[in-house]
């Protein structure tokens, strides 16, 4: 724990480089993310998912920029919570953190579900619940050992997924070039097919594709563990978003060319497995399945780490129990109680909730957090600091806010209902702990 002689405030160790942060963000998004949405998204866009991903990448770059700008001025753990609290209002910061907390809690929960489901399908003799406990045990142990260990683990696993994606693309290209058809490796059809182009369908697909990018924001929760947070956090957020987007676009592009009829998959849920099998047979399909399972481990590591550090920041600011949530492991200097709490929540959720329900709630928390951060840039730089740079501090974050708000209001009614119930619970908790919002939550100044 890093402390000055007169400072007994719990702080985290600075060990993460720019490369670590970029890999962390990509690991959260997972290079193989298109596998989760490809079937339905490709069909809904008329085979133009690469275009939808391109639009989504540009859209998410606005929010990535805003996260970077706020991380540069507030290089503390806590991300969305910290930025809103410092830039706008301490009480509003609690609600931003409360909404984003739901998102971070649900990420490891859903990856436990997905990982256990695919592992069970690969080895049916091992029950689903055993896989849940096994994955949970691995992820929790690595996170307790320290963020440095988690970063190194992510590097290895992201490298493996990257290799699988490269192999997948190579086999797809080989199939396209060797096909006895008029299919060309270089064509604009996956980006624009005038016979099937419907703007509303493309925008709907782009909205769906945006959720593959959820995770780049997790980089900012590690500001206190970054070696050079003021320079590296904003660079890492934008680079992770850009690199991840290009990886998604390439996969969607070659998959579309290998399997042009996007209405004819054996199952929309496993569409890219069909593509992989056509391009490389059972071996490639199995390898791709293993990569999906690995992706759940990397996302679980980053999701659990981000949630535990968000709770650490909120505990340190005494909006959550300081004694419990700021407790650090005496040897590894990690928020061990928070990590264990996240593990219990995720295991129980994976055993008793449905993946579809959890996925929808993730969208509510993520988009709410994005809106708060974009708004924070406008309030802090443009209004409080009077930096009248219209494009940098008004137009870009304004577009980020508008895009996220548009996606937010188009969430399902049930998602909005449950999400607002979650916010109402947070409101009641904040009202009680701050004595009717009369008591201002204390803030932490990074020394």
């Amino acid at each position: 724990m890093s402390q000055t002689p007169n400072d007994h405030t719990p702080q985290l160790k600075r060990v993460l480089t720019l490369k670590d942060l970029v890999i962390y963000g990509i690991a959260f998004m997972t290079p193989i993310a298109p596998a989760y949405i490809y079937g339905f998204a490709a069909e809904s866009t008329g085979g133009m998912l690469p275009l939808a991903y391109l639009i989504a990448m540009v859209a998410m770059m606005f929010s990535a920029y805003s996260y970077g700008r706020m991380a540069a001025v507030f290089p503390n753990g806590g991300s969305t919570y910290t930025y809103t609290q410092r830039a706008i209002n301490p009480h509003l910061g609690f609600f931003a953190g409360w909404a984003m907390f739901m998102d971070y809690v649900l990420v490891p929960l859903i990856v436990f579900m997905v990982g256990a489901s695919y592992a069970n399908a690969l080895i049916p003799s091992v029950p689903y619940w055993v896989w849940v406990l096994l994955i949970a045990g691995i992820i929790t142990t690595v996170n307790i050992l320290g963020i440095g260990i988690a970063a190194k683990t992510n590097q290895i696993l992201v490298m493996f997924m990257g290799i699988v994606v490269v192999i997948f693309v190579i086999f797809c290209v080989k199939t396209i070039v060797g096909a006895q058809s008029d299919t060309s490796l270089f064509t604009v059809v996956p980006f624009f097919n005038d016979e099937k182009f419907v703007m509303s369908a493309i925008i709907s697909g782009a909205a769906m594709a945006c959720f593959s990018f959820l995770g780049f924001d997790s980089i900012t929760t590690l500001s206190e563990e970054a070696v050079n947070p003021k320079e590296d956090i904003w660079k890492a957020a934008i680079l992770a978003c850009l690199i991840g987007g290009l990886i998604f676009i390439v996969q969607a592009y070659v998959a579309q060319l290998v399997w042009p009829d996007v209405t004819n998959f054996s199952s929309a849920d496993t569409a890219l497995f069909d593509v992989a099998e056509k391009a490389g047979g059972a071996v490639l399909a199995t390898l791709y399945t293993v990569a999906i399972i690995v992706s759940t481990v990397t996302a679980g590591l980053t999701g659990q780490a981000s949630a535990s550090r968000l709770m650490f920041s909120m505990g340190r600011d005494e909006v959550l129990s300081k004694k419990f949530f700021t407790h650090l492991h005496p040897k590894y200097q990690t928020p061990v109680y928070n990590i264990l709490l996240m593990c219990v929540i995720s295991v129980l959720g994976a055993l008793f909730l449905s993946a579809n329900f959890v996925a929808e709630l993730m969208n509510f928390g993520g988009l709410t957090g994005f809106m708060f951060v974009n708004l924070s840039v406008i309030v802090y730089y443009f209004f409080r600091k009077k930096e009248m740079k219209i494009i940098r501090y008004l137009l870009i974050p304004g577009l980020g806010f508008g895009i996220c708000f548009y996606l937010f209001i188009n969430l399902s009614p049930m998602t909005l209902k449950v999400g607002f119930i979650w916010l109402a619970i947070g409101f009641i908790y904040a009202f009680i702990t701050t004595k009717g919002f009369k008591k201002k939550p204390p803030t932490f100044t990074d020394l």
Side-chain angles (χ1 to χ4, degrees), residues 248-268:
F248 301 156
I249 290 170
V250 170
Q251 288 180 81
Y253 178 85
V254 296
Q256 170 62 31
L257 296 183
V258 169
W259 198 295
D261 186 1
V262 295
T263 65
N264 192 32
F265 295 114
S266 58
S267 171

Side-chain angles (χ1 to χ4, degrees), residues 177-359:
V177 173
Q180 299 299 315
S181 67
D182 296 329
T183 302
S184 172
L185 180 60
F186 302 103
T187 174
V188 298
V189 173
F191 291 96
F192 181 75
N193 184 341
D194 58 354
E195 295 180 0
K196 298 180 179 180
F197 186 87
V198 178
M199 180 57 73
S200 59
I202 298 299
I203 296 300
S204 177
M208 188 184 309
C210 280
F211 301 125
S212 292
F213 292 85
L214 292 177
F216 72 84
D217 57 295
S218 67
I219 293 171
T220 59
T221 67
L222 304 178
S223 294
E224 288 183 51
E225 290 155 286
V227 175
N228 186 14
K230 290 188 177 181
E231 287 296 321
D232 289 350
I233 293 295
W234 72 269
K235 292 178 183 178
I238 293 176
L239 283 172
C241 195
L242 176 63
I243 295 171
L246 293 176
I247 293 172
F248 301 156
I249 290 170
V250 170
Q251 288 180 81
Y253 178 85
V254 296
Q256 170 62 31
L257 296 183
V258 169
W259 198 295
D261 186 1
V262 295
T263 65
N264 192 32
F265 295 114
S266 58
S267 171
D269 293 335
T270 57
L272 280 189
F273 298 144
D274 291 345
V275 177
E277 189 171 29
K278 180 177 179 180
V283 173
L284 182 59
T286 300
L287 183 63
Y288 207 80
T289 302
V290 172
I292 288 288
I293 298 171
V294 168
S295 76
T296 65
V297 174
T298 62
L301 280 171
T302 52
Q304 190 183 76
S306 295
S308 63
R309 279 147 183 82
L310 178 61
M311 289 187 286
F312 178 87
S313 290
M314 296 177 77
R316 186 172 53 192
D317 287 354
E318 298 182 3
V319 291
L320 294 176
S321 171
K322 185 174 183 178
K323 183 177 181 180
F324 182 92
F325 289 100
T326 63
H327 176 81
L328 297 178
H329 192 284
K331 179 178 180 180
Y332 303 116
Q333 297 297 289
T334 51
V336 60
Y337 290 170
N338 301 348
I339 293 171
L340 292 174
L341 176 61
M342 282 298 308
C343 177
V344 172
I345 293 172
S346 298
V347 168
L348 293 176
L351 294 177
F352 297 109
L353 298 177
S354 71
N356 290 339
F357 178 69
V358 173

